[in-house]
Amino acid sequence: MPVLEADGISVRFGGVQAVRDVSVHVGEWEVVGIIGPNGAGKTTLFNVLTGFQRPNTGRVRFEGDDITGEPVHRRAALGMGRTFQNVGLVKAATVLDNLLTAQHMAVGYGAVAGIVGSSLAFERERAVRDEAARLLELLGLLPVADLVAGRLPYGLRKQVELATVLATHPKVLLLDEPTSGMGPEEAEAFGERLLALRRELGLSVLMIEHHVPLVAAVCDYVYCMNFGELLVEGKPDDVRSHPEVVRAYLGDEAA
Amino acid sequence: MTAQALVIGIITGAAYGLVALGLVLVYKSSGVLNFAQGEFGTVAVYALWLGTTHGIPYVLAVLIALGVAAVFGFVTERVVVRPLADAPRVTVLVATAGVALLAVGLELWIGQAQIRPIAPALRRQDRLRILNVYISDQRLLIILTVVVVALVLRWVFTRTFLGLAVLAASEEPTGTRLMGVRVERLSSAVWVLAALLGGVAGVLTGPLSGFGPGFLTSSALVAGFTAAVIGGFTSLPGAFLGGVVVGVIQSLATSASWLADVPGPQTAALFVLLVVILLARPQGILGRAS
Amino acid sequence: MTPRVAPLLALAAVVLVLPRLVFDSADFALLSLAVVYAIVGLSLNVLIGYAGTISLGHQAFVGIGAFTSAYVVTELRQPFIVGVLAAAALGGAQAMILGGLALRVTGLYFALVTLSYGVFAQDTLFGIKAITGGGAGRAAPTPTGDGNFVPYYYICLAFLGLVLWLDWRMMRSKTGRALTALRQDPRVAASLGIPVKAYLLLGFAVSGVFAGIAGALFAHGNGFVVSNDFSLQLGILFVLMTVVGGLRSRTGIVVSAALTAVVPLIIREIPGLESALARPERTVPVVVLVAGLVAVGVGVLRGGRAAQVVGVAMVALSAAVLSPLHVPGVEPQLEQLPALDPSMLRLIVLPALVVMTLRTAPGGLGQQLRPVVRWVCGGRFSLDAGPGDLREVVDARA
Amino acid sequence: MRRPLLVLFALLFVLAACGQKAGVRDTQQVGASDGIGSSSETTAPAVDGEATVPTTAALPGGTVAPSPTGGGSSSGGTSAGGSSAGGAAPTTSTAAPVAGDRTGISDQVIKLGFHAPVTGAAPVPQESFRRAVMIYWNWINANGGVFGRKVEVTFKDDQFNPSSAVQACRALVEQDKVFILLGSAGADQITACAKYANSVGVPYLSPGVNESDLSSLPGYFAISETYRQQSPMLGQLAKKLSKAGKVAIVIEDTPTFQDSHASIVAAFRSQGLSIVYDKPISKDASQAEILTTSSALRGSGADVVYFLGPPVTFIPLAQQGQGQAYTPAYIGPGLSNGLNLVAQAGCPGIGNSRFLSPFPEMDAIDRLDPNYTKQYRAQTGQEPDDLGIAIWGVSKTIHQMLLAAGPNLTRQSFEKTLVSGKAFASNVYPALRYTAANHFGAASAHLLQADCGHQRFITAATFASSL
């Protein structure tokens, strides 16, 4: 059964057709890539999947359940974790606080209990802190735990963002250009970490990515979009060598 | 009765339009909600009052009053608005609210809390009679002023280099600067102009019911903002029309018998109007969706 | 970090014991008001500082609490504490209704809605005769006995303590983190699983509850409430004192709000200030004198020759103008009555401070006090004790 | 950049906490012979023992009223610091012996508390108030006072706001320990303060306004006719003035005026007049409301309009009416103190208006009490005005009462004297005669009429009880 599935998605902004009749699906344990030139509608599709954008037509299903009308936070609760193109962090908060924020769903006490300070809340807060420390250690981020997230260098911020998303205990990760701003070596390292995470946490992954070698290395399946439509889909190598794709997008790089 | 309320609404709403024009001018050119707009006017009336009670001829006193308002606007821009050019717009809003409060404090201090009468520029009361409502010369002057100012400003913003430069500066300050336009000067000019408009509103409406500390803020700021919202917040003729709409609705609310048991029906009408418009058409009745 | 005990004890002494030693029992009415203002500031801070939503109609929040409690106590004959609870509940409820609007109307437009709401509350809501007594107002007996403000001050302090504790707990729990996240980036917050709208409403509710408590305490401290107590001017004053205190700084806000409230007391305690303020022709030279002294001071510190010269000139000039006023016997008898209520000085001092704050010290008073607070809490004393995020004064979503 | 701010804040903080220095209070003390009152420059020490009684009260900075025992230091709650001789009266307190409550009374001084709006929505003119407030008592004090005691008046601004009024009165009672409280203008403020005064057992006197809320207060005494008491006379006046027999009622929208409204409706009905317009007007009426009201009044055809509300509403209403070619006769139970200012601001719109008033206008005062203008000119060097008459009249009435109560003054003996059936005549305010059951002892009023040719009001009738 596919974890995440979108069927016949179309989105119009005024007179502009941003996405037209696109269907994607992400199976369990799969790493799926979406490629395509800028303005191809990839991020709009992402927004539909995560709930920021309502599609004009089409359905989105998560583990078989229709979630097309569900708000963003409900999808997060179901197990969809998302990163942002321009780094989605609470910039003024420390790295540790970001990780605590990310465990919002897991804290296990009500908002009012937290405000009046019930003993359960105190106890759970300690547990949440421990979990944050564990995650930071896992990702090697303990040294920056008390620094303000917005002031970290770009690459570190990306890593912290990944840590926060993992803290929400997702079943599927939606990554919007996770390696933008990284060099080839960093990107390669990122790919390895991604595969390792899949192994350890049993994640499925859907990612928008420009870095073709990375896509080729980690993805099990690739969609290519252009002008809001699905151009080609298939195994990375097939897509990569498809003449339409070469013409539309990869032409220069493939040559 | 309803037809009469319409006439009364139009002639009282013109004053709101005058305040709204100043608000729109500032918003259009800098994206700031100027809470000090009313006090630009009140300060001018105080200057007019000080002038006339010291024996200065009326016309000269009016000119001095407008000068005082202009200086107030200039100082506000220099001391408060310009240093906050890069701050969030809500920050600037808070700062202008501070300026308004400061002005009220100074007015209290200099003129005490008294509500004072002041002579109108034109004295004839019964010039026109429409639907059994007499319209005084002073009110005709207000209507004329607001229409002329709205049209002139619209012309400036659509047809003249200055107006286009102001708009460009609000959208793309850096680019405009690169084109050789002095953005800071434009900002000063806009605030001085807005303060002058406020001053005109003050000296024209002050004589209608007397004035006290903060009178234009308490009597017209909320109505002016509502008028501006109705006009879409960027349309200058829209500000005038918005003022008229607000005036008419207020006067209808006053005379409506089913509202007789509601305390402060005019304020209630204003609040409901604002909320309904913002919920239904956030861009205003006359504004275009961005 | 373990807090330092001695300074905390000193603080407790200043707040609890010192007023008994230096102030008349009647002055405790004003001191109670200072505590009430502090609660109002904290309430406004929840909206502006934490949730990032401007409110210019906060006087209405406070007013609703005030009238609710007055009504519950005088008409329904319930004890004071029931009045406060009812005020807190209704304050929270009306805030949530307004919060519902904030979900639909954002940024500057919401600022206009709150502005209009405040005026609407004053004219219409507080004009409902059956509940508020119309323009004539409603009595709100002081629970500690009429005019007996000393114990009432301590009751107010207890409520301030409660509000401070709730605020502190909120910011240390998931609610605080959710509010911070949704203020900075609602999209990020939502994708971390935070129901943004619900938490925004919760923020409004908490702010409303605090404001309701403040309103009830205001009413019963005043002995009487009337719609004119809650004017637009007061709403702006509330915003300014909160900004001067420094958003997201409990200490700063409490100090700034309290100072705002006790301005009349401060004026009274500075010899000569009150009568000097009575008339502009006497005050202007005083202001020039002070400004001149400051200019000289700054000139000396910074080595600015021009500032020193100008400062000396200002001092000399104002001294020359002022000196005849000091000759006994010149004062005509008519001058007996100072012209104005000294509380109007709030309207001049606070805006001036707010402009200074916005321009040069966006962290407000809270930032100035931070080194001290840090030290008291057990940290090292350092003038550079840096705040994490003080770039924006009001980063409401606009 | 931040450091100066820190210093400033720290300074403010320290100043707030640094205790009570000798200085001026926020009370606005008007010492009996303390010529400089609260001006800051006064540092003259309080003189113990005998002080010569000044021949005129306007000796600035000269003699200082005798200091009561214990004055000067800031013990307890009453001292006003060194400069203000009038501030301290710790000799007597509420814990006085059985003889009665002697708060505010010492061997040298009787302290009166007075509240009036000098700021707020409808304030009395400040300068003129400032000049007038002590004229009568300065004169009395200079001539030996009341049984050897000087009368001091402590004044507080009530900001035309009931809530501030209660605070002002509370401060007068608790901080300044006054003997009795006096109100002047503003029905809501008077009602609120009277209720407070009653709750702490302090006698309260004011020109009578509304009756319903005040009649149940045992310590309240009206020194003029109430609005209800004036209604029958206004009914007769309307009958006389109205040609068409159509009258209108415009009353400010506050519950305080409910009994006034009921009584004027009854009075008009009993005169056979038809009430063609009867709608309240908001406290802060907007332009639209004023225009709508004046237009509706004109439409109703009423040629007499009963108006009860503040001058800020009345003046634009009358002016707007004139602009709408509508000039009915406005009548009413008096606008607040000082009608001449109304005339200056409202003419010619108010040209056809007549109001009842507890005190006469300038044209009649010399006939009724020649001392007023004489004293006003002598003490202030300015031309007298009608606000001064109002204050003079109140003071004179209180003086009669104090004389009647005798030298062994307590709050109890004062109230007892008031209800003993004696008449108190000032010849400025109406003569008063109270009983235990009736604290509304006035039976007449002056009728004032606008004279727009001279922008003033004139006295059409003095002490009329019917027209």
Side-chain angles (χ1 to χ4, degrees):
Chain A
M1 187 179 65
V3 180
L4 182 63
E5 196 177 5
D7 248 348
I9 304 293
S10 295
V11 180
R12 265 189 310 278
F13 296 120
V16 183
Q17 185 86 34
V19 174
R20 187 196 304 272
D21 194 26
V22 172
S23 301
V24 295
H25 79 106
V26 182
E28 219 167 337
W29 271 67
E30 253 186 346
V31 177
V32 177
I34 300 178
I35 59 172
N38 287 328
K42 304 183 300 282
T43 298
T44 306
L45 178 66
F46 239 57
N47 285 343
V48 170
L49 293 173
T50 45
F52 286 112
Q53 176 69 48
R54 253 181 196 229
N56 295 88
T57 61
R59 322 280 338 152
V60 180
R61 269 185 285 276
F62 184 80
E63 295 185 323
D65 300 325
D66 190 330
I67 57 163
T68 316
E70 296 284 303
V72 180
H73 64 91
R74 195 86 45 80
R75 299 185 198 212
L78 289 173
M80 293 171 65
R82 157 180 200 171
T83 68
F84 290 80
Q85 210 170 329
N86 50 357
V87 189
L89 285 174
V90 184
K91 296 191 178 67
T94 62
V95 170
L96 179 66
D97 278 339
N98 266 285
L99 277 145
L100 297 178
T101 308
Q103 294 179 73
H104 183 85
M105 298 173 291
V107 289
Y109 60 83
V112 175
I115 294 174
V116 287
S118 74
S119 59
L120 173 76
F122 283 104
E123 195 180 298
R124 291 294 308 151
E125 277 295 296
R126 252 172 267 133
V128 165
R129 266 163 206 280
D130 291 345
E131 170 69 8
R134 193 187 66 79
L135 269 166
L136 287 175
E137 188 159 25
L138 183 74
L139 292 163
L141 291 168
L142 262 185
V144 297
D146 289 327
L147 300 183
V148 174
R151 295 189 185 158
L152 295 176
Y154 186 79
L156 260 178
R157 261 186 282 168
K158 278 270 179 196
Q159 291 185 41
V160 175
E161 187 190 23
L162 188 63
T164 61
V165 175
L166 291 177
T168 64
H169 301 294
K171 293 173 185 157
V172 57
L173 272 184
L174 292 100
L175 309 176
D176 195 347
E177 302 197 19
T179 66
S180 68
M182 290 187 188
E185 281 166 31
E186 284 173 292
E188 197 178 325
F190 172 80
E192 279 165 25
R193 172 171 292 164
L194 196 62
L195 293 176
L197 283 174
R198 168 168 75 161
R199 227 173 16 249
E200 287 161 26
L201 303 174
L203 292 170
S204 313
V205 178
L206 176 68
M207 61 189 221
I208 297 176
E209 186 53 70
H210 283 300
H211 198 78
V212 177
L214 175 67
V215 172
V218 303
C219 289
D220 305 309
Y221 201 78
V222 175
Y223 295 90
C224 178
M225 287 179 72
N226 199 15
F227 296 115
E229 296 186 23
L230 214 51
L231 211 54
V232 185
E233 60 182 283
K235 298 271 175 212
D237 288 337
D238 300 343
V239 171
R240 200 177 176 183
S241 53
H242 197 284
E244 289 246 27
V245 176
V246 173
R247 195 177 329 132
Y249 170 55
L250 296 175
D252 302 339
E253 284 180 61
Chain B
M1 208 57 212
T2 312
Q4 247 182 32
L6 219 62
V7 179
I8 289 171
I10 290 167
I11 60 180
T12 52
Y16 299 148
L18 213 45
V19 174
L21 273 180
L23 294 170
V24 168
L25 178 69
V26 168
Y27 184 80
K28 204 175 162 77
S29 50
S30 61
V32 170
L33 292 190
N34 177 20
F35 272 58
Q37 184 66 28
E39 285 320 284
F40 288 161
T42 314
V43 165
V45 194
Y46 271 85
L48 178 64
W49 166 66
L50 283 175
T52 49
T53 49
H54 284 82
I56 298 173
Y58 198 87
V59 175
L60 190 60
V62 166
L63 291 178
I64 293 174
L66 293 181
V68 168
V71 170
F72 187 30
F74 180 77
V75 171
T76 303
E77 197 273 340
R78 270 300 168 89
V79 177
V80 179
V81 177
R82 190 178 295 182
L84 296 174
D86 298 327
R89 289 182 298 172
V90 173
T91 304
V92 190
L93 182 157
V94 169
T96 59
V99 170
L101 207 60
L102 183 69
V104 172
L106 292 175
E107 288 153 15
L108 261 173
W109 192 23
I110 288 163
Q112 302 167 351
Q114 229 92 72
I115 312 281
R116 296 169 194 280
I118 193 163
L122 305 173
R123 283 167 188 275
R124 181 149 172 202
Q125 294 269 10
D126 51 355
R127 170 79 57 187
L128 252 182
R129 184 175 168 173
I130 300 172
L131 290 169
N132 222 11
V133 179
Y134 289 90
I135 302 172
S136 66
D137 279 359
Q138 183 82 2
R139 290 196 184 280
L140 288 175
L141 182 62
I142 292 174
I143 296 173
L144 190 72
T145 309
V146 66
V147 171
V148 168
V149 168
L151 293 178
V152 166
L153 282 179
R154 183 176 136 117
W155 175 77
V156 166
F157 274 107
T158 51
R159 297 290 155 82
T160 66
F161 176 77
L162 178 73
L164 294 173
V166 167
L167 286 184
S170 72
E171 302 279 320
E172 277 290 338
T174 321
T176 313
R177 202 172 278 126
L178 288 174
M179 287 167 65
V181 176
R182 295 205 180 176
V183 173
E184 284 78 15
R185 278 205 190 170
L186 286 182
S187 175
S188 288
V190 164
W191 280 81
V192 167
L193 196 58
L196 273 175
L197 267 175
V200 169
V203 299
L204 286 182
T205 62
L208 295 177
S209 62
F211 66 96
F215 97 94
L216 206 56
T217 297
S218 55
S219 70
L221 188 72
V222 176
F225 270 127
T226 311
V229 167
I230 293 173
F233 239 115
T234 48
S235 158
L236 291 156
F240 162 64
L241 288 176
V244 169
V245 171
V246 169
V248 168
I249 285 178
Q250 280 207 336
S251 93
L252 285 174
T254 307
S255 55
S257 53
W258 57 279
L259 283 175
D261 291 333
V262 175
Q266 307 151 61
T267 324
L270 212 55
F271 176 64
V272 172
L273 180 69
L274 182 69
V275 168
V276 166
I277 286 176
L278 285 177
L279 288 182
R281 258 183 88 84
Q283 70 273 30
I285 299 292
L286 298 167
R288 276 173 231 110
S290 55
Chain C
M1 293 193 293
T2 42
R4 288 171 211 271
V5 176
L8 281 177
L9 284 178
L11 180 71
V14 166
V15 174
L16 298 173
V17 183
L18 193 65
R20 288 292 282 141
L21 302 178
V22 297
F23 291 118
D24 284 0
S25 55
D27 289 336
F28 276 70
L30 205 55
L31 295 179
S32 307
L33 186 70
V35 180
V36 170
Y37 271 32
I39 299 178
V40 173
L42 291 169
S43 159
L44 205 45
N45 177 49
V46 173
L47 275 194
I48 307 180
Y50 299 156
T53 304
I54 189 86
S55 168
L56 295 159
H58 224 65
Q59 77 277 19
F61 288 40
V62 177
I64 281 176
F67 281 113
T68 304
S69 186
Y71 182 81
V72 167
V73 171
T74 57
E75 288 290 305
L76 307 181
R77 313 231 162 260
Q78 297 298 313
F80 165 72
I81 188 70
V82 176
V84 178
L85 289 176
L90 209 65
Q94 59 93 31
M96 279 179 83
I97 294 174
L98 203 65
L101 274 176
L103 298 178
R104 299 287 305 278
V105 180
T106 50
L108 292 176
Y109 284 116
F110 185 68
L112 291 187
V113 171
T114 59
L115 171 78
S116 189
Y117 175 67
V119 181
F120 157 76
Q122 187 193 354
D123 278 6
T124 303
L125 295 181
F126 302 160
I128 301 171
K129 282 178 199 148
I131 296 167
T132 66
R138 179 169 283 287
T142 310
T144 50
D146 203 85
N148 191 6
F149 291 114
V150 178
Y152 191 70
Y153 167 71
Y154 292 103
I155 291 179
C156 291
L157 271 183
F159 276 105
L160 174 62
L162 175 71
V163 165
L164 277 170
W165 188 71
L166 291 175
D167 188 274
W168 176 73
R169 277 309 311 155
M170 179 170 79
M171 292 319 284
R172 297 277 289 190
S173 73
K174 71 173 194 176
T175 307
R177 294 191 295 262
L179 286 176
T180 307
L182 79 88
R183 176 181 85 245
Q184 297 225 333
D185 194 335
R187 293 164 61 91
V188 170
S191 64
L192 293 178
I194 296 165
V196 170
K197 290 181 178 180
Y199 272 90
L200 192 61
L201 286 182
L202 182 67
F204 267 90
V206 170
S207 177
V209 167
F210 289 178
I213 293 174
L217 294 176
F218 171 82
H220 295 286
N222 221 13
F224 196 86
V225 268
V226 62
S227 60
N228 280 1
D229 287 341
F230 308 102
S231 63
L232 168 62
Q233 232 176 53
L234 187 68
I236 295 179
L237 199 73
F238 284 159
V239 174
L240 298 194
M241 79 185 185
T242 310
V243 169
V244 167
L247 294 177
R248 297 182 283 286
S249 164
R250 279 180 285 266
T251 325
I253 287 169
V254 168
V255 173
S256 152
L259 284 179
T260 304
V262 299
V263 159
L265 213 56
I266 299 175
I267 291 173
R268 199 186 74 195
E269 299 299 330
I270 301 174
L273 183 58
E274 191 174 5
S275 68
L277 285 170
R279 335 189 91 231
E281 63 266 30
R282 276 201 261 166
T283 316
V284 171
V286 172
V287 172
V288 172
L289 180 72
V290 173
L293 288 173
V294 170
V296 172
V298 170
V300 169
L301 285 175
R302 298 252 173 110
R305 184 63 59 82
Q308 289 181 42
V309 172
V310 172
V312 169
M314 284 162 80
V315 171
L317 190 71
S318 53
V321 175
L322 280 172
S323 53
L325 298 176
H326 284 273
V327 180
V330 173
E331 287 293 313
Q333 194 215 347
L334 314 180
E335 305 291 320
Q336 283 173 352
L337 294 170
L340 284 174
D341 181 0
S343 62
M344 68 101 202
L345 203 69
R346 287 171 193 152
L347 306 186
I348 295 175
V349 173
L350 206 60
L353 286 180
V354 99
V355 170
M356 276 168 74
T357 304
L358 294 175
R359 284 187 54 167
T360 64
L365 193 49
Q367 192 177 2
Q368 313 292 329
L369 293 171
R370 197 169 298 242
V372 181
V373 173
R374 253 198 187 202
W375 176 76
V376 171
C377 291
R380 268 188 324 115
F381 185 84
S382 150
L383 278 179
D384 301 317
D389 130 66
L390 291 167
R391 280 159 299 163
E392 313 128 307
V393 176
V394 182
D395 51 1
R397 292 163 300 135
Chain D
M1 284 305 267
R2 293 180 197 150
R3 236 31 80 191
L5 206 60
L6 177 63
V7 172
L8 181 66
F9 282 132
L11 194 67
L12 285 175
F13 195 58
V14 169
L15 284 170
C18 67
Q20 189 164 11
K21 297 197 189 95
V24 260
R25 314 297 312 244
D26 65 333
T27 62
Q28 304 180 337
Q29 299 270 352
V30 186
S33 57
D34 173 13
I36 319 189
S38 56
S39 72
S40 64
E41 294 78 18
T42 324
T43 48
V47 182
D48 279 332
E50 297 295 314
T52 48
V53 174
T55 45
T56 73
L59 281 178
T63 44
V64 173
S67 171
T69 54
S73 76
S74 59
S75 64
T78 54
S79 171
S83 71
S84 164
T91 42
T92 54
S93 71
T94 41
V98 277
D101 189 345
R102 290 173 56 85
T103 306
I105 311 277
S106 70
D107 289 345
Q108 291 86 15
V109 173
I110 301 174
K111 298 182 69 177
L112 309 179
F114 186 29
H115 72 97
V118 295
T119 63
V124 300
Q126 235 171 75
E127 284 302 316
S128 146
F129 186 86
R130 187 194 281 270
R131 276 199 287 275
V133 72
M134 277 305 288
I135 289 172
Y136 183 82
W137 295 116
N138 281 342
W139 178 53
I140 296 300
N141 290 341
N143 290 296
V146 183
F147 298 116
R149 295 186 179 105
K150 291 192 168 35
V151 174
E152 285 177 9
V153 176
T154 305
F155 165 76
K156 275 190 188 295
D157 179 16
D158 65 31
Q159 302 172 12
F160 207 80
N161 179 342
S163 171
S164 315
V166 173
Q167 283 179 338
C169 288
R170 175 177 293 131
L172 288 170
V173 168
E174 286 168 14
Q175 271 175 315
D176 303 303
K177 311 272 183 209
V178 298
F179 175 58
I180 55 171
L181 283 170
L182 305 171
S184 60
D188 286 341
Q189 288 76 263
I190 287 173
T191 307
C193 237
K195 282 181 180 164
Y196 163 75
N198 192 62
S199 73
V200 290
V202 178
Y204 185 99
L205 295 91
S206 79
V209 280
N210 48 306
E211 213 165 299
S212 56
D213 287 319
L214 298 173
S215 54
S216 59
L217 305 177
Y220 176 80
F221 296 89
I223 55 175
S224 72
E225 284 193 310
T226 63
Y227 294 160
R228 189 190 62 77
Q229 287 172 321
Q230 295 176 10
S231 286
M233 227 195 299
L234 290 167
Q236 294 170 17
L237 183 62
K239 178 79 181 166
K240 234 196 249 177
L241 294 173
S242 177
K243 293 192 181 68
K246 291 180 181 173
V247 292
I249 301 174
V250 178
I251 296 185
E252 185 196 312
D253 194 7
T254 162
T256 310
F257 289 152
Q258 268 161 10
D259 61 335
S260 314
H261 178 255
S263 68
I264 196 66
V265 169
F268 282 163
R269 291 230 172 97
S270 75
Q271 295 289 337
L273 297 163
S274 89
I275 301 168
V276 290
Y277 179 95
D278 183 3
K279 243 179 111 171
I281 192 161
S282 318
K283 216 170 189 173
D284 314 295
S286 73
Q287 284 285 307
E289 181 171 358
I290 282 170
L291 258 176
T292 307
T293 306
S294 79
S295 174
L297 282 172
R298 180 161 55 90
S300 74
D303 56 358
V304 172
V305 176
Y306 174 92
F307 181 88
L308 176 54
V312 256
T313 316
F314 176 62
I315 293 169
L317 183 70
Q319 282 177 334
Q320 214 45 258
Q322 161 132 39
Q324 304 293 311
Y326 176 63
T327 49
Y330 294 97
I331 63 169
L335 297 165
S336 48
N337 296 352
L339 275 171
N340 279 348
L341 202 85
V342 174
Q344 282 157 30
C347 275
I350 64 148
N352 199 7
S353 59
R354 290 171 179 78
F355 291 104
L356 294 180
S357 164
F359 55 91
E361 265 302 332
M362 289 305 300
D363 60 333
I365 184 67
D366 279 347
R367 181 161 52 81
L368 297 170
D369 185 347
N371 286 318
Y372 169 67
T373 45
K374 236 183 277 170
Q375 284 299 322
Y376 197 104
R377 288 205 183 97
Q379 290 189 34
T380 69
Q382 308 256 349
E383 278 308 293
D385 60 19
D386 58 350
L387 179 63
I389 302 179
I391 297 171
W392 177 275
V394 173
S395 309
K396 200 172 171 191
T397 306
I398 302 295
H399 187 198
Q400 302 294 313
M401 295 171 173
L402 291 174
L403 286 176
N408 288 327
L409 195 58
T410 65
R411 280 177 179 160
Q412 288 76 9
S413 76
F414 181 75
E415 289 191 10
K416 213 168 155 193
T417 309
L418 289 187
V419 298
S420 66
K422 277 185 194 149
F424 307 100
S426 63
N427 221 23
V428 180
Y429 272 56
L432 297 166
R433 192 189 299 273
Y434 303 110
T435 66
N438 180 16
H439 291 189
F440 299 84
S444 65
H446 303 273
L447 178 65
L448 310 182
Q449 187 170 355
D451 169 16
C452 271
H454 297 91
Q455 300 214 330
R456 61 173 188 178
F457 272 78
I458 53 171
T459 317
T462 51
F463 301 120
S465 54
S466 70
L467 293 167

